[in-house]
Amino acid sequence: MIELDFNKGDGLIPAIAQDYATGDVLMMAYINRESWELTLKTGIVHYWSRSRNKLWKKGESSGNVQEVKEIRVDCDNDTILIKVNQIGDAACHEGYRSCFFRVVKGDDLQIDGERVFDPEEVYGGKQ
């Protein structure tokens, strides 16, 4: 069994989601042991939501599911890179394809990209 080091981050480790086909970095979230095991078992990415303090199957509300294509583990066993087939148009809860839709320009953040969906319509304000 693969043993990740969940001790360093109080039971959580960072998980970076990358589009398997394009290489685009889609998002970063956290996993705990339970979400790790469910991800391995189901082939669908599960995370731990720190804001809601609960297990979160990616796409359960939006339909934008992440299907596992490959998982890479860093040298310290405390961060994972999940290469995914992004089912649906967006990974970001704000309606963008990637959570990294803002670019630093001097002292400002500028949006680089178009919203794929309206988060109010999808989540009804429950983000």
Side-chain angles (χ1 to χ4, degrees), residues 26-98:
L26 301 174
M27 60 180 282
M28 195 290 289
Y30 291 90
I31 64 167
N32 64 3
R33 189 174 305 281
E34 182 182 12
S35 59
W36 168 245
E37 290 171 358
L38 274 170
T39 297
L40 292 176
K41 180 180 175 182
T42 65
I44 302 297
V45 183
H46 290 71
Y47 297 104
W48 178 259
S49 172
R50 296 180 303 162
S51 60
R52 294 178 283 166
N53 200 35
K54 70 174 208 164
L55 191 66
W56 158 42
K57 176 183 174 186
K58 179 65 178 150
E60 66 190 345
S61 298
S62 67
N64 296 310
V65 174
Q66 293 177 340
E67 178 184 59
V68 175
K69 298 303 266 177
E70 178 179 281
I71 300 175
R72 292 180 176 252
V73 178
D74 81 330
C75 57
D76 294 323
N77 286 351
D78 63 3
T79 302
I80 63 170
L81 171 66
I82 309 174
K83 295 187 179 192
V84 300
N85 174 28
Q86 179 67 49
I87 300 169
D89 294 329
C92 180
H93 73 281
E94 290 195 26
Y96 294 89
R97 172 149 172 75
S98 168

